[in-house]
Every structure is written in C-alpha cells, then in structure tokens.
Amino acid sequence: MNNAIRLKPGREKSMLNRHPWIFSGGIQSVVGSPEPGEVVEIQSSVGQRLGSAFYNAHSQISLRVITDAPAGPLDRTFWMHRLDQCLSRRSRVRQTTNAFRVVFGESDGFPGLVIDVLADIVVVQLSSLGVEGLREIIQDWIVLNFNPAAIIERSESSSLRAEGMNPRQELWWGTTSGAVEINEGSLRYLADPVQGQKTGFFIDQRDNRRRVAELGSKSLLNLFSYSGGFTVPAALNGASTVSVDSSEPALALVHENLTLNGLELASHETIADDVFEFLRQHSAQYEMVIVDPPAFVKRRTDVDKAARAYKDVNRLALKRVLPGGYMLTCSCSQFVDWTLFRQILFAAGVESGRDVQVVGQFTQPEDHPVSLYFPEGEYLKTALLRVF
Ligand code: SAH
C-alpha cells in the first residue's frame, strides 16, 4: 500500500476518539494517486501512521476508517476474520431466530456494509465504494457460512450517488422464488427479500414485537403495519387487531402471516389507507396503539417538515388509546435524535389533551449494535407510553 492521506493538524482527533469517518475538510494532502474506493494509509499531519481507511474523493466522507492498527495487510484473511467476528457476535440472537443482521456497517467495523440473513436468503446492502471492492470476499464468506439459496444485493438508496455509486438490485448468487418463511421464537412470518420493503422484513423491531406480546393487550391498532410484524404477536396473545397501511401487498401479507400462525382472520381487520386520513376519520379506541412510520426524513434539510408529520400522527394516535392503555411509538429517522423525538412526543401529548407517562425507551436489538464511538449508528428510537 503506497498511497496515503495526510490529515490537517488536529484532525487526527476523531480517529483517536475511534470515530470511523474523516470528512474532506480534514485532509491536508494526498500521497500517490489512490483510486476511489481504494484502501489508503492514514497519516497525521507530521507523517505518523495512524491506520488504514477506504478513500473516496467523491464523498463528503472522504475516509472511512478500517483499522487504527499500525501494521498488517488488509488481505482476504483480514476481512474473512472480521466477518467471522461479526457472525460469532450473533450467536445468541441465532438461538431464537433465523432472521438477523449479521453485519451492521460502521458499528461492526465494516463502513458501508449491511448483511441481513432471512432464513436461506442473504441480502447485502453496499453504501461505500470501499466495500464494493470486497464483493468477491463477501460473497465467498456468505456461501461458506450460510450455503444460501440466494444472495441478493439491494443497494437502492438514492444517497448512493453521492458516493459515486449507482443504486441497484442484483442477484449475486443462486435463485430466488418469492417470499421465504422466517422464524422468531415461536412466531412465523413470510418475508419477501426481492419485492419487500427494506430487506424484506423489519428484523430491527424484534425486541419491540416481544414487548408488545408481553403487554397482552386485548385490542390493537397497528398503524403503518407493513406485513403485520406487530399484529401477529398481539393476536397470538389474544388481541383483536386492526392493521392500517397504504400498501395493499403489505396487507395481503398481514393475512398470510396471521394464517401462517394458525390465527382465524375473523377478529383481524386490515385497512388500506393513508394513516393520517384514517386517524382523522375514525374514533374507536384500543388498549394498544403502535405508531411505526417510515423514515419521514431522509435528509437533514427535511427535519422540520418531518417533525410536524411525526407530531401530527402521534397526536392523533394518542387519542385512539383507551385510558390506561399503551402506545408504542417509533422513529427510524437518523436525523431525529432522542432530544427531538421527546420534544415531538411532548408537543403531541399536550395537543392531544391526554395524560402520558413514558414507561420505556428502547433502541435497536443487539444484532444492530451501536458503537459507543459512532452514535450515528443509532437510528431506531422507540418510546413506550402509558396513556390516561
Ligand atoms: N411496523 C412495520 C414496519 C413499518 S414500515 C413492521 O413492524 O414490520 C412503514 C410502513 O408504512 C410501510 O409498510 C409503508 O407502506 C407504510 N406507509 C408509509 N406511509 C404511509 C402512510 N402515509 N399511510 C399508511 N401507510 C404508510
């Protein structure tokens, strides 16, 4: 490795704090002529070797730090070992489910790489040019460890263009044939890794599904239900349910998932509607209301607009909770932090006229870990509210 990036004086601080990103403004000079996505040596302003990173001159995040070790080649063995480490850290999660995230980007030492396992299908998302260069190693490792029916790349975010990458969906390996069945404890779900939203199933809501089951409410309003992730555990614990989503295919999956779990459809309703419209038109109340909208904000500049949407939906949903009941409300927007989320809930609470207690605050499950040094990795915020 001959190419190196020398940082401006003081800019090595973020590395010393173990943060994995260095922005273009921190670069003093480029030694050699590294290609976008290539591994480079990181040097302090006086030439001291600090570690290695993926370099991408096209990206605001010019350096994505791979290691702060001063020596050692970043060869196939290095990457295979790091992937093995990710897998071994999932051994507890794998005891109860075959749907889990095995690599979670920066938090797992793989800037720009996400790998989800859904039964015998593996879904890969690449979001940095650096990991794109590891495709062969990643594929070999997946085949070796999971012997999958298919490996599907779903790198579809429009933000990839800022990295100099094209959004795409591509079959890397094997063949796909529609939805797969996944298990989570005693729950069973169909997930569609090709057509489905995200990578086919919201595996990151696993702990919240358990919480909803445990509360054992007798009636559930599941807003933004998708395929019924929350509907099924509530129904299995005796709730009648109403699932609302704007997507007809998602609601068809709610029916299939209820049936798959041995439930009769009679006390389970699905409503294809815009949630905001639905909440304005109906007034029935439920023991438990779930609010799990999509990321209303995908860019920092949209935060104000998104905050209003979050406040509106939470205000309207709070009115749908029976006195003494619960509301589980989420934000999966990276740009809505806990402080803002609490402000939004505060405003929604005041405007709803209800008395509201926060009885739980949660983030992602352990297969979506948040590195202490990379708080940006915490995207899922959940508040469990008790409403009077
Ligand atoms: N709670 C789900 C995941 C929700 S994903 C789970 O646990 O699996 C967000 C869902 O909101 C998607 O299914 C999408 O179709 C739906 N959606 C987005 N905007 C909507 C709107 N305005 N009204 C109703 N549904 C909407």
Side-chain angles (χ1 to χ4, degrees):
M1 186 169 52
N2 302 314
N3 294 319
I5 302 292
R6 196 166 279 198
L7 304 181
K8 288 181 182 164
R11 292 305 184 103
E12 60 281 353
K13 183 152 181 265
S14 71
M15 254 199 98
L16 299 177
N17 287 338
R18 309 181 73 106
H19 195 279
W21 291 346
I22 296 170
F23 292 92
S24 52
I27 292 179
Q28 177 171 288
S29 58
V30 179
V31 182
S33 48
E35 295 290 318
E38 205 175 296
V39 175
V40 294
E41 182 177 302
I42 312 167
Q43 297 178 353
S44 72
S45 58
V46 291
Q48 181 195 2
R49 193 180 166 201
L50 300 174
S52 303
F54 292 126
Y55 175 62
N56 186 352
H58 298 317
S59 174
Q60 279 287 325
I61 307 167
S62 297
L63 292 167
R64 292 172 189 263
V65 180
I66 301 161
T67 174
D68 57 5
L74 302 189
D75 56 9
R76 193 180 177 87
T77 310
F78 171 90
W79 291 114
M80 287 282 188
H81 174 69
R82 192 165 272 197
L83 286 162
D84 286 344
Q85 235 173 15
C86 292
L87 183 58
S88 72
R89 291 173 186 181
R90 269 66 181 183
S91 56
R92 204 181 77 87
V93 165
R94 293 182 80 188
Q95 286 169 11
T96 51
T97 185
N98 61 1
F100 58 98
R101 179 155 290 186
V102 64
V103 177
F104 182 44
E106 275 77 351
S107 304
D108 270 319
F110 274 101
L113 175 67
V114 165
I115 306 179
D116 285 352
V117 177
L118 297 163
D120 62 354
I121 307 289
V122 178
V123 184
V124 180
Q125 284 176 290
L126 307 179
S127 58
S128 75
L129 270 180
V131 287
E132 200 175 50
L134 300 178
R135 173 177 163 161
E136 209 180 293
I137 295 174
I138 295 166
Q139 178 172 317
D140 289 351
W141 180 81
I142 293 171
V143 170
L144 189 70
N145 285 281
F146 299 103
N147 185 27
I151 305 174
I152 303 159
E153 180 186 350
R154 291 189 66 172
S155 308
E156 292 162 327
S157 164
S158 52
S159 61
L160 290 178
R161 297 196 196 281
E163 283 288 310
M165 298 168 73
N166 285 322
R168 61 187 168 250
Q169 178 172 146
E170 195 186 321
L171 182 67
W172 280 14
W173 173 270
T175 50
T176 54
S177 50
V180 286
E181 185 183 323
I182 56 136
N183 307 306
E184 191 175 280
S186 56
L187 304 174
R188 302 166 70 189
Y189 291 99
L190 290 174
D192 187 339
V194 177
Q195 308 277 339
Q197 298 191 30
K198 210 173 178 191
T199 55
F201 188 63
F202 289 80
I203 52 181
D204 55 358
Q205 289 288 17
R206 182 189 311 115
D207 290 354
N208 286 334
R209 284 187 278 277
R210 179 176 46 74
R211 293 182 179 110
V212 166
E214 280 167 10
L215 287 169
S217 306
K218 292 295 162 233
S219 56
L220 170 82
L221 174 62
N222 187 4
L223 302 170
F224 308 95
S225 67
Y226 187 48
S227 59
F230 291 112
T231 306
V232 171
L236 283 169
N237 281 275
S240 60
T241 67
V242 176
S243 303
V244 185
D245 200 286
S246 53
S247 157
E248 299 266 9
L251 294 174
L253 274 175
V254 175
H255 282 155
E256 288 197 61
N257 284 330
L258 285 163
T259 308
L260 186 64
N261 287 275
L263 291 152
E264 300 288 338
L265 297 181
S267 46
H268 304 293
E269 200 181 339
T270 56
I271 298 176
D273 201 353
D274 175 78
V275 162
F276 295 83
E277 288 299 312
F278 169 84
L279 288 172
R280 289 196 170 97
Q281 284 160 12
H282 294 76
S283 56
Q285 292 190 313
Y286 304 81
E287 282 186 23
M288 162 75 87
V289 175
I290 310 272
V291 184
D292 183 24
F296 286 145
V297 44
K298 299 220 161 99
R299 286 176 310 202
R300 203 172 283 284
T301 45
D302 291 342
V303 168
D304 284 352
K305 209 166 128 231
R308 265 196 302 281
Y310 279 116
K311 189 194 74 179
D312 285 345
V313 74
N314 278 286
R315 168 175 56 85
L316 294 166
L318 279 168
K319 296 184 182 177
R320 298 285 88 83
V321 185
L322 278 167
Y326 292 93
M327 184 160 113
L328 184 97
T329 180
C330 306
S331 165
C332 58
S333 300
Q334 215 137 35
F335 301 114
V336 175
D337 61 13
W338 271 108
T339 307
L340 178 57
F341 192 45
R342 286 289 288 267
Q343 281 167 354
I344 289 167
L345 296 178
F346 165 80
V350 169
E351 290 178 21
S352 73
R354 303 294 296 270
D355 191 17
V356 183
Q357 295 174 331
V358 181
V359 295
Q361 291 184 86
F362 315 106
T363 181
Q364 299 130 228
E366 81 171 84
D367 54 335
H368 297 61
V370 183
S371 164
L372 194 54
Y373 314 105
F374 183 65
E376 293 89 337
E378 181 174 7
Y379 66 94
L380 183 61
K381 291 145 296 271
T382 302
L384 180 62
L385 308 177
R386 188 110 198 250
V387 187
F388 299 93

